Amino acid sequence: MSLSGGYFLRLDSPFTLMLDGETTDLSPQTDPPERLVAIEQLIGRVITESVVDDSGVLTIAFDNGAVITCLPDDHYEAWMMTAPKGWTVAGTPGGEVGVWISEEP
């Protein structure tokens, strides 16, 4: 999903969306597109906090109280965020976190 300011977030593993007091488990790999419509309610919302813990769990909180939590995957990259100026942060296999910085031209 494209975020403002040139940021981009990709969730490749199952994640949990907590919104309006309800928790929904979603999977971008196996759920049909209509099931993922719930995340459209986050369009235009402001991210208030984004945290990656020591085990590779990504948690993103929004200004409307919604929270996305994406757990690491043992075999695949679970999530990835790219930022302006060449920054990439990713939840790599096994819960490690990778950071790449490309040099600006």
Side-chain angles (χ1 to χ4, degrees):
M1 73 181 73
S2 291
L3 308 171
S4 65
Y7 291 83
F8 182 82
L9 172 66
R10 188 181 80 211
L11 301 174
D12 290 325
S13 288
F15 63 94
T16 300
L17 172 63
M18 188 170 60
L19 179 66
D20 297 330
E22 293 188 30
T23 301
T24 306
D25 293 323
L26 298 166
S27 174
Q29 300 299 323
T30 59
D31 284 343
E34 58 272 9
R35 180 142 161 68
L36 299 172
V37 162
I39 62 173
E40 289 181 3
Q41 295 180 55
L42 302 177
I43 294 173
R45 304 310 317 190
V46 175
I47 294 174
T48 58
E49 184 175 41
S50 180
V51 176
V52 179
D53 71 14
D54 292 339
S55 65
V57 175
L58 172 67
T59 304
I60 303 172
F62 295 83
D63 64 347
N64 64 346
V67 177
I68 290 176
T69 303
C70 187
L71 301 176
D73 187 285
D74 287 337
H75 305 288
Y76 303 101
E77 198 171 86
W79 54 268
M80 180 183 73
M81 180 173 280
T82 59
K85 299 183 182 181
W87 284 76
T88 300
V89 180
T92 60
E96 298 292 320
V97 177
V99 178
W100 297 268
I101 303 169
S102 64
E103 293 185 25
E104 282 190 76

